[in-house]
Amino acid sequence: MPYPLRPLDGSLSPRHHLGAELRHWRKRARLSQGALGALVHVSEDLIGKIEKATRRCDEDLATRLDEVLDTGGVLVRAWRLAAEADRRAAEADSPSSPASSSSTLEQPSTTAPDGINVLRRDFISGAAALTGTAAALAPPAAPTRRPMSRRPVDPALVTYFREQLQGHYRADILLGPHQLVATVTAQHQLICELSANTTGDLRRNLLRVGAAYAALLGWLHQDAGDHPSSIRWRDITLDMAHRARDHQLVAYALANKASLCVDLGDASGAVDLADAALADPRALAPKVQVIASVHGAHGRSLTGDRAGVDALLGGAQELVERIEDDLPWGNACRRTPGYIDIQRATCYGRLQDRDAIDEADRIWTRVLAAMPDAHRRDVAVFRARHAAVAAAAGEPERALYLAGRATLVSTSTGSARTRAELAILRRRMLPWADHAYGRDLTELLATIGL
């Protein structure tokens, strides 16, 4: 009988973080160390030693592990942290190296700046990523500040965390919320600690990136259906945006709160918050105007205001082509194919208007045919919405077919939005409750606990 694996502590060092991440993703793929070694052409012993941080991993192996385990680049990023720490340790041990070195890097890099090693000696997301789903989705505590060294904070950390944020957005598309919450929470904690040790522009820039991480956490909890935690992170986002004195971020935070109100069915709250974000549209970047307009349109769709929906989405459509900023947050409107069409179909699907329902049906058919396979979580949500539209159009057979395709993905992504949309479908299928279509839908939804 094999001995149980010893728990790993990814907080001990960057190399331990890499090992903890490797074990997490290997176990998630249900592979033994030997099986994984065979897939990447190394020995079982080497995989085990990398996990225990007793052997180094090279970049080529980290890349192959990422590909086999489908991590979205997590292991290469962890390898860069470990390699940077090893390099600095070697420099410190070298007789020719100066006794102390500047904490400022000459060039920003995707490797971890010295500030992480100076202030924390590790990158704490590895241990956090190993926590279970229930712990990962627990209501967040207010950001706290642990005692830290008062050494200088490297300005390159701002660039580093901005670049990491893009990886998190990509991972969210592929994995859904549950796999990311713990890691992003730990990184937000570190950003808060770093900002507490700085002043002036550097402090404001760290607060800006911290607000962006808090916004992502608000979204992850919202997508997971944990609305109390999402509310708290939305509040933290707005607080940090104000502290950073960033008008764009403040408007973005208000728009995100409007999005949460839509999920909660609070039409007036969504409209009020979106309108507040748009109070001075000329001062806003086109992207922020688009986001606020979209959530304002969703709020109005809950009240049946088609004219209001059309006015806001029409204006947003014109602005999408003008988005040119390099802000690291709120880029779904650029990376999602047919973004405004998707918002229009969603809004029209809520209206008690047969013309709107028919138009929503046509839009969903067109959009889903062109949607990339990588957007599987979003596609599941959209298929569930399309199914509800089909039911409203009096086509229960097609609604059942679309619901089946959405349900297949729902169980793997953990998106509560898909479940919420399927619950709407169930209500719209009530006229066929005693028909085979209704009974089949009941059986289908029972497989995901609805």
Side-chain angles (χ1 to χ4, degrees), residues 302-367:
L302 294 174
T303 68
D305 180 8
R306 180 171 179 175
V309 169
D310 287 340
L312 284 166
L313 293 184
Q317 182 70 69
E318 295 177 1
L319 289 167
V320 166
E321 302 302 323
R322 293 167 46 195
I323 297 175
E324 297 178 346
D325 63 76
D326 62 351
L327 299 172
W329 40 262
N331 287 310
C333 54
R334 282 198 286 195
R335 67 173 177 262
T336 306
Y339 178 76
I340 297 298
D341 279 344
I342 289 168
Q343 311 311 316
R344 192 181 303 278
T346 302
C347 289
Y348 281 7
R350 298 189 184 108
L351 301 176
Q352 302 299 315
D353 178 330
R354 184 52 191 260
D355 289 342
I357 291 294
D358 289 345
E359 180 62 17
D361 193 4
R362 287 190 289 270
I363 295 172
W364 281 130
T365 300
R366 182 176 70 250
V367 166

Side-chain angles (χ1 to χ4, degrees), residues 40 57-67 76 79:
V40 295
C57 175
D58 60 42
E59 185 175 15
D60 178 65
L61 177 56
T63 300
R64 282 182 281 141
L65 289 166
D66 268 334
E67 292 172 353
V76 166
W79 172 84

Side-chain angles (χ1 to χ4, degrees), residues 8-316:
L8 300 177
D9 184 354
S11 67
L12 294 176
S13 73
R15 198 187 298 177
H16 283 82
H17 165 59
L18 171 59
E21 287 282 17
L22 175 56
R23 180 175 292 180
H24 167 70
W25 288 96
R26 176 179 62 77
K27 293 179 71 175
R28 184 173 182 270
R30 299 182 180 180
L31 292 172
S32 67
Q33 291 175 343
L36 178 58
L39 289 172
V40 295
H41 311 296
V42 299
S43 68
E44 175 182 354
D45 181 65
L46 178 58
I47 296 293
K49 287 180 177 178
I50 292 172
E51 288 185 358
K52 292 183 289 187
T54 59
R55 281 281 299 275
R56 293 179 181 176
C57 175
D58 60 42
E59 185 175 15
D60 178 65
L61 177 56
T63 300
R64 282 182 281 141
L65 289 166
D66 268 334
E67 292 172 353
V68 167
L69 297 174
D70 193 22
T71 71
V74 168
L75 297 176
V76 166
R77 291 195 292 272
W79 172 84
R80 287 173 180 157
L81 289 171
E84 178 68 10
D86 288 343
R87 183 183 70 78
R88 292 185 182 280
E91 288 179 354
D93 292 340
S94 171
S96 61
S97 66
S100 62
S101 61
S102 169
S103 65
T104 302
L105 301 179
E106 293 183 3
Q107 296 291 335
S109 168
T110 55
T111 57
D114 195 34
I116 287 181
N117 297 315
V118 168
L119 292 169
R120 199 68 171 281
R121 306 268 321 155
D122 68 279
F123 191 56
I124 58 179
S125 65
L130 294 173
T131 60
T133 297
L137 293 175
T144 56
R145 296 170 181 167
R146 302 181 186 181
M148 299 179 70
S149 168
R150 297 298 297 184
R151 299 189 190 186
V153 174
D154 193 328
L157 279 163
V158 175
T159 300
Y160 171 76
F161 281 114
R162 283 170 59 107
E163 291 169 348
Q164 288 281 303
L165 188 63
Q166 301 312 306
H168 293 323
Y169 283 130
R170 290 191 295 272
D172 174 44
I173 292 171
L174 296 169
L175 301 173
H178 295 283
Q179 301 295 330
L180 284 175
V181 167
T183 297
V184 180
T185 301
Q187 290 178 324
H188 181 269
Q189 172 70 47
L190 181 54
I191 292 167
C192 289
E193 293 172 1
L194 292 166
S195 69
N197 283 265
T198 61
T199 59
D201 289 342
L202 178 54
R203 176 178 174 80
R204 282 192 292 275
N205 287 334
L206 283 168
L207 287 170
R208 287 187 182 101
V209 76
Y213 273 71
L216 175 56
L217 284 162
W219 163 247
L220 294 173
H221 284 286
Q222 183 177 337
D223 189 34
D226 182 0
H227 293 142
S229 293
S230 181
I231 289 170
R232 181 156 182 77
W233 281 109
R234 296 306 193 195
D235 288 343
I236 291 170
T237 304
L238 185 59
D239 175 71
M240 295 187 78
H242 277 299
R243 289 166 59 196
R245 304 174 209 171
D246 189 315
H247 182 62
Q248 307 292 339
L249 263 175
V250 169
Y252 177 58
L254 289 170
N256 285 338
K257 288 170 76 71
S259 168
L260 182 56
C261 284
V262 172
D263 278 10
L264 295 172
D266 180 2
S268 60
V271 170
D272 290 345
L273 286 163
D275 287 354
L278 291 167
D280 187 8
R282 291 174 298 180
L284 298 178
K287 179 171 69 181
V288 182
Q289 293 183 62
V290 168
I291 295 168
S293 296
V294 161
H295 296 313
H298 285 298
R300 285 166 172 82
S301 74
L302 294 174
T303 68
D305 180 8
R306 180 171 179 175
V309 169
D310 287 340
L312 284 166
L313 293 184

